[in-house]
């Protein structure tokens, strides 16, 4: 991207609907690009297109007391330029909380505070953001006589359904992940009694408005989000019965030890990218404990202490109010007659036996992760230009189109969906 722009100050577009760069999605990745352009004094006509009505980061998981899982020093600017005005430390200074934060003696701020930091950064670029618009396609513009030098980005106003198209020399697609809904639990799409963890904080109080009612809730999954929701439900609905289903034998801790954490070092990308494909796959699998299907040890300790407290008063775990059911994979559901409740079809992962849950649930929450293939649908019309079958990228994240098919100063870059090639 750096070779595309060579001027001095980022500014609002001066030519209607014609841009040097359009970023699809305005989450942390695109926000980091906006900050880098600002810090480097690059003058470019840039537009950021975002589906949400305003900037917010993982709204459904902004839970009380939930902390970041990485150091605040890995913010949007510090490791690239510690003198940037957009560092987390400068954010704290601008909010008159720097000294107080240092007294906490932590590198892990509350997720709520980190969202406020990101929102503070985003507020500096509002003139360049088109909120409330969902991008529906990115297509090459040009004729067969020469390489593609511009792209059409079409988006839909989520309120009016009206579509609009802009032209740009370069495109960055950074749309994040789409909630993964297991087919056995979708039945044409999650209903009002089955929600993904990404909607938890914003939807649960609407579905279960009575705090002290004896609700029954199932949480599916053994990762950080599922654990946080299982923990939060105990205070949000203190009279409820909550069951957490995990396919493994036990909840597993995340590994953020210093040597393992080096897999996230920027210079590691070069090494990883140059590995043979099969070696990259093995490396990704071996490093899963850093991020996937695992829970921070501090939260595990807290959860176990709560479980022990139940054991203190009731020796029989089947009678506990808050239960973790290991070796259990939810493979389907049935709607209970004359009620909105659901009964779950559960497979014992230790022997393959399938049975129906004894409990009828008011709500099922899926901590089943995300899919990161949304870019393929957006770029479908450009598939004939690809070098290979899939949308593979070069070391600089530029989509590999056929040689001479795209001009050197134009292209499409992907962010947040390149784990297979970049680690």
């Amino acid at each position: 991207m750096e070779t595309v722009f060579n001027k001095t100050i980022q500014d609002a577009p001066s030519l209607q609907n014609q841009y040097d760069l359009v970023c699809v999605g305005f989450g942390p990745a695109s926000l980091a690009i906006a900050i880098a352009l600002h810090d480097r004094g690059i003058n470019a006509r840039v537009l950021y297109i975002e589906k949400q009505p305003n900037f917010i980061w993982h709204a459904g998981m902004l839970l009380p007391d939930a902390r970041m899982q990485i150091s605040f020093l890995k913010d949007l600017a510090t490791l690239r330029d510690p003198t940037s005005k957009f560092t987390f430390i400068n954010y704290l200074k601008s909010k008159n909380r720097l000294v107080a934060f240092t007294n906490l003696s932590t590198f892990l701020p509350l997720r709520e505070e980190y969202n406020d930091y990101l929102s503070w950064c985003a507020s500096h670029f509002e003139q360049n953001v088109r909120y409330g618009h969902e991008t529906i396609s990115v297509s090459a513009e040009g004729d067969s006589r020469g390489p593609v030098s511009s792209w059409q980005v079409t988006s839909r106003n989520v309120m009016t359904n009206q579509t609009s198209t802009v032209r740009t020399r370069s495109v960055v697609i950074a749309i994040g992940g789409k909630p993964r809904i297991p087919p056995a639990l979708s039945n044409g799409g999650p209903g009002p009694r089955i929600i993904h963890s990404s909607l938890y904080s914003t939807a649960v109080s609407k579905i279960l408005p009575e705090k002290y009612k004896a609700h029954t809730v199932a949480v599916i999954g053994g990762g950080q989000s599922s654990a946080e929701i299982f923990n939060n439900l105990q205070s949000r609905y203190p009279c409820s019965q909550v069951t957490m289903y995990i396919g493994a034998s036990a909840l597993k801790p995340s590994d953020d030890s210093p040597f393992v954490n080096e897999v996230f070092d920027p210079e590691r990308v070069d090494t990883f990218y140059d590995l043979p494909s099969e070696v990259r796959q093995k490396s990704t699998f071996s490093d899963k404990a850093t991020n996937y299907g695992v829970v921070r040890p501090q939260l595990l300790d807290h959860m176990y202490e709560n479980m022990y407290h139940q054991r203190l008063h009731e020796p029989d775990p089947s009678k506990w109010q808050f239960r973790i059911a290991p070796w259990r994979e939810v493979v389907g559901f049935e709607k209970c007659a004359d009620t909105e409740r659901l009964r779950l079809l559960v497979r014992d992962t230790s022997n393959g036996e399938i049975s129906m849950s004894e409990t009828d649930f008011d709500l099922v929450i899926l901590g089943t992760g995300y899919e990161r293939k949304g870019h393929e649908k957006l770029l479908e019309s450009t598939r004939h230009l690809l070098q290979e079958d899939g949308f593979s990228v070069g070391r600089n994240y530029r989509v590999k189109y056929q040689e001479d098919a795209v001009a050197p100063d134009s292209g499409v870059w992907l962010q947040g969906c390149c784990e297979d090639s970049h680690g």
Side-chain angles (χ1 to χ4, degrees), residues 1 4-23 33 37 42-48 127-129 149-150 166-171:
M1 292 299 298
V4 176
F5 311 120
N6 55 15
K7 298 183 182 178
T8 53
I9 302 174
Q10 184 177 358
D11 200 357
S14 57
L15 298 175
Q16 181 109 13
N17 296 329
Q18 296 187 31
Y19 299 89
D20 296 309
L21 171 65
V22 170
C23 289
I33 290 173
L37 291 173
I42 295 174
N43 181 14
R45 298 187 301 274
V46 184
L47 175 67
Y48 306 92
Q127 75 275 15
N128 295 91
V129 186
S149 59
S150 63
V166 297
R167 298 174 66 244
T168 179
R169 184 151 45 99
S170 300
V171 182

Side-chain angles (χ1 to χ4, degrees), residues 261-277:
N261 229 9
E262 287 187 345
V263 302
F264 298 110
D265 289 358
E267 57 267 22
R268 280 295 186 95
V269 177
D270 291 323
T271 302
F272 187 89
Y273 185 83
D274 291 334
L275 293 173
S277 177

